[in-house]
Amino acid sequence: MNSFAVLHVDADVEENDMITEYRESEMTRSSGNIDEPCNRDEGRNNNTSERPLKRSRELDQDEIWSTMVRKAKLYGRAHTENNVSMRIPEYKIEVSVTCTEKLPKQFGLAKLLKAANIKNVLKIKYINSFKALIHFHDEDSADSFIHCKSFNENGFKCQRTLETTQSYGVIKYIDLDLKEDEILQELKSETEILSVKRLKRKNTNDGHWESSESVRICFKGSSLPSHIYIYDTRVNVSPYTYPVTQCSRCWRFGHSLRMCPSLKVICPKCSKSHPNCETANYKCNNCTGRHMAMAKICPVYLKEKKIRELMAESNYSYKKALTLYIPPSPRSLDLLKDPPLPISSAVRTNEPPMSATPQESSTVEDHTYAKITKEVPGKLRKKSKAEKGMSRNKTKEKVEDIKKAGRTYL
């Protein structure tokens, strides 16, 4: 008890000392020895005092937010000056060159470019014997090469890889007796017509190709007219969809056997280096899936088909349509690579297979990939009174049928 009392007395003494120190500090503040702005406790207790204004300063340009925009990729070129090697950044403009005949080799093509006074060529890249990509340093050199008469007269088709200088449309139900020259002479349109070609189709009886009633028209420019006139009769023009070409040597997409850059023969069944075999273990050469290389369920084939739909719908080049392509989900790709077994082979039932009626099959719309990407989801359409009445009648008929059968309807 005595020790506790002593501790309690000491605590009271310390508290009295703190009170006296606080009173002395208040007296010194009131006398003006300490500046008021430095007194934080007084500012908190005195609610009527105004807050001091912030000092004004000049605006620093380095502290202003700036928007960062990614520029085009720069390509460097080696340059030596005073025995010092350096890289000079430069822009790349890509121009595609195609021809129906084989292009000259790199030095031969460079000789033709020099003879036509085409300068600032950075690189020549060969895709195959009939197509090459030429990289230029500036726009003027690329334009002079595209509009060069010597190259255009020799059958070279030059255009930028992200631009389209020509558009293709199709007119149907053209008599087989009319020749291409006669059709081209009688066609009239606001857009300049460059060429006409009658399309072919495969005969289902013997498998040979024969002429069809559809004609492909090449227009100058990137816009496709909605209609043209033939013999003063208006004919609608529909976009031309490029077919998915597949090589019968390497079984790759995008080129034919004539333009194949490879000399190795690939098997379409097992993807090995031999013409053909009798194996039942299929392996695709494009996606390594368990199907043949020419199967229509191949993901690579479906990708090429969708890209060509975008090209036809919006008149894009292949390279631009490839940038807009949206790949499917990984689950759908797995199903395409390894398709499941059909239900009829896995489970045998006595019931006949269900098939769609002609009315149901006719109501199914043919949606293309380009149309689906352009569609905007909207609100669901409400049922009309007639549709509601028909649904009520159907339910009543079902109830009557169930009662006749002797069942209980819940």
Side-chain angles (χ1 to χ4, degrees):
M1 292 294 293
N2 295 332
S3 60
F4 179 79
V6 172
L7 292 173
H8 185 67
V9 171
D10 295 337
D12 294 339
V13 173
E14 291 179 358
E15 185 177 0
N16 293 330
D17 295 338
M18 292 173 65
I19 292 171
T20 54
E21 290 178 0
Y22 179 78
R23 289 176 179 176
E24 290 177 358
S25 63
E26 290 291 336
M27 292 174 65
T28 53
R29 289 192 189 95
S30 61
S31 60
N33 294 332
I34 300 177
D35 297 336
E36 290 183 357
C38 298
N39 187 6
R40 297 180 181 178
D41 295 336
E42 184 179 359
R44 292 174 183 175
N45 296 330
N46 189 8
N47 296 328
T48 59
S49 62
E50 296 182 357
R51 187 175 181 179
L53 299 175
K54 295 178 68 176
R55 60 186 180 87
S56 61
R57 60 174 182 174
E58 296 181 357
L59 183 63
D60 192 0
Q61 297 294 332
D62 296 335
E63 296 181 357
I64 299 176
W65 289 91
S66 59
T67 305
M68 304 299 295
V69 180
R70 183 179 179 181
K71 297 182 179 179
K73 187 177 180 181
L74 295 177
Y75 292 82
R77 180 176 59 181
H79 178 70
T80 305
E81 185 178 355
N82 298 328
N83 295 327
V84 177
S85 179
M86 62 182 68
R87 302 289 290 180
I88 301 175
E90 52 194 12
Y91 290 94
K92 182 187 72 171
I93 301 166
E94 193 175 61
V95 178
S96 172
V97 183
T98 56
C99 186
T100 55
E101 299 179 357
K102 288 188 177 182
L103 295 173
K105 300 297 181 181
Q106 190 166 3
F107 289 101
L109 187 57
K111 185 178 179 180
L112 293 177
L113 292 172
K114 187 176 181 181
N117 197 17
I118 306 297
K119 300 179 181 180
N120 297 324
V121 179
L122 302 178
K123 183 181 178 182
I124 299 176
K125 181 181 178 181
Y126 282 84
I127 305 301
N128 50 47
S129 301
F130 303 89
K131 183 178 180 180
L133 299 177
I134 302 178
H135 299 168
F136 291 92
H137 173 56
D138 53 4
E139 299 279 347
D140 297 335
S141 301
D143 292 337
S144 61
F145 173 68
I146 293 173
H147 300 290
C148 183
K149 292 183 179 180
S150 60
F151 281 94
N152 294 329
E153 291 175 356
N154 292 329
F156 291 91
K157 182 181 177 181
C158 309
Q159 66 175 19
R160 301 192 183 190
T161 54
L162 293 177
E163 296 179 0
T164 53
T165 58
Q166 298 174 359
S167 55
Y168 294 91
V170 177
I171 56 176
K172 299 180 180 180
Y173 310 113
I174 305 300
D175 295 334
L176 298 176
D177 299 336
L178 296 177
K179 296 182 180 180
E180 295 179 356
D181 298 336
E182 185 179 357
I183 295 173
L184 181 60
Q185 186 177 0
E186 296 297 333
L187 287 179
K188 295 181 181 179
S189 175
E190 296 178 355
T191 308
E192 183 180 354
I193 299 175
L194 300 178
S195 62
V196 170
K197 182 180 180 181
R198 186 179 288 274
L199 301 178
K200 294 185 178 182
R201 65 177 183 179
K202 204 169 188 179
N203 194 342
T204 56
N205 297 326
D206 53 4
H208 295 291
W209 292 93
E210 60 183 12
S211 299
S212 65
E213 296 180 351
S214 300
V215 176
R216 188 189 71 179
I217 304 174
C218 178
F219 297 93
K220 186 177 180 181
S222 58
S223 60
L224 186 70
S226 60
H227 62 276
I228 59 174
Y229 291 92
I230 179 170
Y231 291 107
D232 296 333
T233 303
R234 176 170 172 170
V235 180
N236 294 328
V237 179
S238 58
Y240 172 72
T241 304
Y242 294 88
V244 181
T245 55
Q246 187 176 18
C247 179
S248 57
R249 179 188 293 165
C250 65
W251 299 105
R252 297 287 184 180
F253 296 102
H255 64 273
S256 60
L257 175 62
R258 181 171 172 265
M259 298 184 178
C260 182
S262 177
L263 299 176
K264 185 186 292 186
V265 179
I266 302 298
C267 178
K269 296 180 180 178
C270 64
S271 68
K272 293 182 180 180
S273 300
H274 53 260
N276 201 350
C277 63
E278 301 298 331
T279 182
N281 297 325
Y282 299 144
K283 182 181 179 181
C284 180
N285 187 35
N286 296 302
C287 67
T288 67
R290 293 187 295 179
H291 56 262
M292 297 179 67
M294 69 279 293
K296 301 301 181 182
I297 61 172
C298 180
V300 182
Y301 170 79
L302 297 177
K303 174 185 176 182
E304 295 292 331
K305 186 178 179 182
K306 291 176 181 178
I307 289 174
R308 280 154 179 79
E309 288 180 3
L310 285 173
M311 293 171 62
E313 190 73 18
S314 304
N315 197 18
Y316 290 151
S317 63
Y318 180 85
K319 193 169 185 179
K320 189 172 182 180
L322 185 61
T323 59
L324 301 175
Y325 168 73
I326 302 173
S329 60
R331 175 61 181 168
S332 59
L333 286 177
D334 295 338
L335 292 175
L336 290 173
K337 285 186 178 181
D338 301 325
L341 294 174
I343 300 176
S344 59
S345 62
V347 181
R348 295 183 178 179
T349 59
N350 296 325
E351 298 180 358
M354 297 179 64
S355 60
T357 60
Q359 295 179 355
E360 293 176 353
S361 60
S362 62
T363 56
V364 179
E365 296 181 357
D366 187 14
H367 292 285
T368 61
Y369 181 78
K371 289 181 180 178
I372 293 172
T373 54
K374 284 188 174 182
E375 285 180 356
V376 180
K379 297 182 179 180
L380 295 175
R381 185 178 64 87
K382 294 182 179 180
K383 290 185 178 181
S384 61
K385 293 182 179 180
E387 292 176 348
K388 290 180 180 179
M390 291 175 63
S391 61
R392 290 196 194 100
N393 294 333
K394 287 182 180 180
T395 53
K396 289 180 181 179
E397 291 177 359
K398 289 180 181 180
V399 171
E400 292 177 357
D401 293 339
I402 292 171
K403 288 181 178 180
K404 288 179 181 179
R407 299 176 184 175
T408 57
Y409 180 77
L410 297 179

